[in-house]
Amino acid sequence: MTEEIGLEVERQQESWLGSWLRWCPTSLSLLREAEKVLLSNLKRSYRGRYVPSGCCVGNEESHVWTVSLNEESEGVPLVLLHGFGSGVGLWCLNLDAMAADRPVYAMDIIGFGRSSRPQFTKDPLEAEREFITSIEHWREQLGLEKFILLGHSFGGFLAASYAIKHPDRVQHLVLADPWGFPERPLDVGDRYKFPLWVKAVGTLLQPFNPLFIIRTAGPWGPKLLQKARPDLVRKFSSLVKDEEVIPNYLYHCNAQNPTGESAFHTLMAGFGWAKYPMLQRMDSLRKGLPITLIYGSRSWVDHDPGFQIKYMRQDSYVDVQVISGAGHHVYADRAREFNDIVQSIGVHADAGTLPVKTNTSTDDSLDQSTRDVGQTITDMINVRYDHNDDQQWDNTGT
């Protein structure tokens, strides 16, 4: 059945891919193989399948690619939402540990990875609603009543939006370096000292999807990605020894029909901000819903919203954790520390209790020197460095 649905998902993209493949060497079958190679590094067995999510976007039935582990466990399930331009494969450093005591479900968000890629509306709030509706339909199909919801980056934005819309389904909300929370500063040009050439290129690229360069590069796309993000190879090197595996996987994730990327472009107001910031909406969350925010101390994402949420929700559990030495990909930069935090949340969720809060303050939450805007073209799109010194910091937190 999964194979039949996979063929249908491929058929839906054939019209777009048919002409594009003459220039861009990708396909869903190549993405499937790249993911298989990546997940072969897991110690635990996993199940991959397509879960129907109805006609939540457009008029055709959509399917969400889902990888699950330890489904027989009676622990509170954990649901994972990846970040922009990513997929289930990048949780490879986390899945084994997270599934030790509970079921884990990692999805390719609709419009990304191996999931269906329908055309989203061009209205930002409606596009956001379409994402959330697809997640809810997916939940209904799996019969998940209540779960821990963890989202990274753009996935954190969607996780918070889902928790607002469906508060009774989320037992604990975990936001890992979430995108789209603060408002875009009015003085952004003064606050971030871009060189003139970067400003000019940024203005030129504004109308395009963030990752269009990868697709425009055609057959040179995989090598371009490998050259642009050698740090990603190092982040996963403790588990993935072949240096081509991560770039290949990310290339095939993002060389497909970019409908999810286009929807993200609709939602954003400049790459680092959302048109409708999530921070302004956090007071709509169910009172008492526990929230844990996990930031990398060296990430480009602003940590301040985490502390603002903590101040806004003083009558609810809000814990802000800042992992030293980690960048935006905090789940990979310090995988062991990240996994320990999530496992602790799970243990307490099983027991009906809450973890002890950390004492992190805004003053010691970040290394300010690492928050300077990088002066390379990769800072204009989400294939930027996280300002990590990979030689100094170990990827697994040891």
Side-chain angles (χ1 to χ4, degrees):
M1 184 65 176
T2 292
E3 184 175 350
E4 293 175 1
I5 295 174
L7 291 173
E8 176 62 18
V9 173
E10 290 191 32
R11 182 196 66 77
Q12 292 173 3
Q13 295 196 44
E14 278 179 357
S15 58
W16 184 86
L17 287 171
S19 59
W20 189 247
L21 280 174
R22 298 170 193 158
W23 175 247
C24 206
T26 190
S27 68
L28 282 178
S29 61
L30 288 173
L31 173 56
R32 180 174 63 247
E33 289 305 309
E35 180 193 275
K36 183 178 179 180
V37 170
L38 185 53
L39 295 183
S40 67
N41 293 284
L42 296 178
K43 296 178 181 178
R44 295 182 179 274
S45 61
Y46 68 91
R47 177 187 180 190
R49 64 193 185 276
Y50 281 100
V51 177
S53 60
C55 301
C56 52
V57 184
N59 298 320
E60 290 195 24
E61 174 100 6
S62 292
H63 297 85
V64 176
W65 178 248
T66 306
V67 167
S68 55
L69 300 87
N70 198 11
E71 291 184 70
E72 301 77 17
S73 172
E74 296 183 358
V76 177
L78 171 65
V79 173
L80 304 177
L81 302 181
H82 61 74
F84 170 75
S86 184
V88 298
L90 289 198
W91 296 111
C92 61
L93 293 174
N94 317 104
L95 292 172
D96 280 328
M98 290 178 177
D101 301 305
R102 69 199 61 262
V104 174
Y105 299 86
M107 70 163 73
D108 278 344
I109 296 169
I110 194 167
F112 294 94
R114 294 176 61 185
S115 291
S116 297
R117 296 186 178 231
Q119 294 296 328
F120 290 78
T121 179
K122 295 301 182 182
D123 177 81
L125 288 177
E126 181 62 17
E128 182 183 328
R129 185 198 65 79
E130 289 173 332
F131 278 117
I132 301 311
T133 301
S134 72
I135 296 172
E136 175 59 9
H137 286 181
W138 172 89
R139 180 205 65 79
E140 291 174 349
Q141 288 293 323
L142 289 176
L144 299 178
E145 292 300 315
K146 204 156 190 176
F147 49 88
I148 301 163
L149 181 58
L150 189 163
H152 169 252
S153 193
F154 178 50
F157 180 88
L158 295 180
S161 181
Y162 179 89
I164 291 171
K165 182 70 174 177
H166 304 283
D168 295 333
R169 298 301 179 190
V170 181
Q171 184 159 337
H172 198 123
L173 179 62
V174 186
L175 306 174
D177 231 52
W179 171 89
F181 274 64
E183 289 192 48
R184 189 170 193 243
L186 296 176
D187 61 343
V188 64
D190 297 327
R191 184 176 298 190
Y192 301 103
K193 302 301 182 182
F194 291 103
L196 288 176
W197 73 269
V198 171
K199 293 181 181 179
V201 172
T203 301
L204 181 65
L205 299 184
Q206 186 64 31
F208 298 97
N209 284 333
L211 298 178
F212 87 100
I213 291 177
I214 293 174
R215 292 180 292 277
T216 304
W220 295 281
K223 288 297 182 183
L224 172 65
L225 189 53
Q226 190 171 1
K227 293 293 185 182
R229 291 304 307 266
D231 63 309
L232 278 178
V233 175
R234 291 192 288 269
K235 292 177 195 298
F236 293 89
S237 62
S238 63
L239 183 69
V240 183
K241 303 304 180 184
D242 187 340
E243 293 186 355
E244 295 186 353
V245 170
I246 296 295
N248 271 348
Y249 175 69
L250 287 175
Y251 173 75
H252 290 300
C253 276
N254 293 293
Q256 313 291 324
N257 188 2
T259 63
E261 184 181 332
S262 295
F264 176 81
H265 189 267
T266 297
L267 295 177
M268 74 183 198
F271 184 80
W273 301 274
K275 288 178 181 173
Y276 294 94
M278 192 56 63
L279 181 61
Q280 300 172 357
R281 298 184 258 167
M282 292 300 283
D283 58 356
S284 300
L285 275 172
R286 169 175 59 85
K287 183 178 180 180
L289 174 64
I291 305 172
T292 298
L293 297 106
I294 308 173
Y295 293 98
S297 68
R298 297 188 167 196
S299 173
W300 55 270
V301 169
D302 190 354
H303 306 172
D304 291 344
F307 296 98
Q308 293 178 50
I309 294 168
K310 191 171 185 177
Y311 179 79
M312 290 164 53
R313 295 174 59 84
Q314 295 187 39
D315 55 350
S316 299
Y317 178 92
V318 179
D319 189 24
V320 181
Q321 302 249 10
V322 181
I323 298 181
S324 178
H328 181 52
H329 293 270
V330 58
Y331 61 92
D333 290 324
R334 289 290 181 274
R336 181 173 297 178
E337 294 175 44
F338 185 86
N339 293 341
D340 287 347
I341 293 170
V342 177
Q343 285 179 291
S344 175
I345 291 169
V347 168
H348 284 277
D350 292 341
T353 58
L354 292 169
V356 177
K357 295 181 184 179
T358 58
N359 294 319
T360 307
S361 68
T362 53
D363 293 333
D364 57 13
S365 68
L366 59 102
D367 176 358
Q368 187 62 45
S369 65
T370 67
R371 295 289 299 283
D372 294 336
V373 177
Q375 298 181 2
T376 68
I377 188 61
T378 53
D379 282 320
M380 304 302 296
I381 57 177
N382 195 30
V383 287
R384 69 174 72 198
Y385 287 98
D386 292 331
H387 307 296
N388 275 356
D389 181 350
D390 292 292
Q391 301 302 317
Q392 180 179 357
W393 301 101
D394 177 77
N395 294 326
T396 59
T398 55

